[in-house]
């Protein structure tokens, strides 16, 4: 099953001020590859630099947004792994009884007009691992 994943898709980072975070990453050569406002309750920017993508997202929910800023050591929300056969990976993960924390396979329009499908499991140290497939 080692051939199911072919690289990182992105690393998700919640933020309290999306535009401030976008500016910060731009200082280090990242550019906004995709942006969306009010996408399922979040303002999102996919920041890319040399194939590395950081998903910055700011919650529209005031309490969730405040909680993101309360951590003293920062916060990486999830690790996203790219795959070309999401259905196969999903079947494998459910067969292994890995806890799926999304509502099965979900989708997002952040890469519109391309379609992106994903699901997230909980790993052995309670980390969240997302598997993501974006049509090419």
């Amino acid at each position: 099953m080692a051939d199911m994943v072919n690289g990182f898709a992105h690393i998700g980072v919640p933020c309290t001020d999306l535009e401030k975070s976008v500016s910060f990453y731009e200082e280090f050569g990242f550019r906004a590859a995709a942006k969306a406002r009010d996408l399922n309750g979040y303002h999102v920017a996919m920041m890319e630099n040399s194939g590395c993508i950081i998903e910055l997202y700011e919650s529209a929910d005031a309490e969730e947004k405040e909680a993101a800023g309360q951590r003293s050591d920062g916060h990486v929300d999830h690790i996203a792994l790219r795959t070309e056969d999401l259905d196969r990976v999903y079947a494998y993960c459910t067969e292994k009884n890995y806890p799926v924390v999304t509502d099965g396979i979900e989708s997002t329009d952040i890469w519109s007009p391309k379609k992106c499908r994903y699901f997230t499991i909980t790993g052995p140290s309670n980390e969240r691992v997302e598997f993501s497939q974006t049509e090419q």
Side-chain angles (χ1 to χ4, degrees), residues 5-14 25 30-31 33-34 39 42 44-57 75-83 86 102 106-111 115-121 127-134 136:
V5 173
N6 58 6
F8 278 105
H10 64 268
I11 298 171
V13 179
Y25 283 96
F30 284 81
R31 65 172 184 79
L39 182 66
Y42 295 91
V44 182
M46 301 299 253
M47 304 298 293
E48 189 272 336
N49 182 348
S50 302
C52 176
I53 298 175
I54 298 173
E55 174 188 8
L56 301 173
Y57 60 93
H75 188 94
V76 173
D77 181 69
H78 62 279
I79 299 168
L81 302 174
R82 185 175 53 235
T83 183
L86 189 68
T102 51
E106 298 184 5
S107 63
T108 179
D109 292 329
I110 187 65
W111 295 112
K115 298 293 182 196
C116 178
R117 299 169 58 232
Y118 66 94
F119 72 94
T120 305
I121 64 170
E127 73 275 24
R128 290 170 26 126
V129 179
E130 175 183 311
F131 295 91
S132 177
Q133 180 178 6
T134 303
Q136 299 300 319

Side-chain angles (χ1 to χ4, degrees), residues 20-107:
K20 186 175 181 179
S21 293
V22 165
S23 295
F24 172 80
Y25 283 96
E26 285 175 338
E27 290 179 36
F28 298 99
F30 284 81
R31 65 172 184 79
K35 286 181 92 172
R37 296 210 48 86
D38 300 316
L39 182 66
N40 300 323
Y42 295 91
H43 309 307
V44 182
M46 301 299 253
M47 304 298 293
E48 189 272 336
N49 182 348
S50 302
C52 176
I53 298 175
I54 298 173
E55 174 188 8
L56 301 173
Y57 60 93
E58 175 185 334
S59 178
D61 179 79
E63 287 182 24
E64 185 177 351
K65 182 177 172 178
E66 182 180 337
Q70 297 299 315
R71 294 184 58 107
S72 61
D73 59 353
H75 188 94
V76 173
D77 181 69
H78 62 279
I79 299 168
L81 302 174
R82 185 175 53 235
T83 183
E84 292 182 19
D85 191 346
L86 189 68
D87 296 306
R88 178 177 169 218
V89 178
Y90 184 78
Y92 177 80
C93 288
T94 56
E95 180 181 298
K96 297 285 287 183
N97 292 318
Y98 293 133
V100 176
V101 297
T102 51
D103 189 17
I105 294 176
E106 298 184 5
S107 63

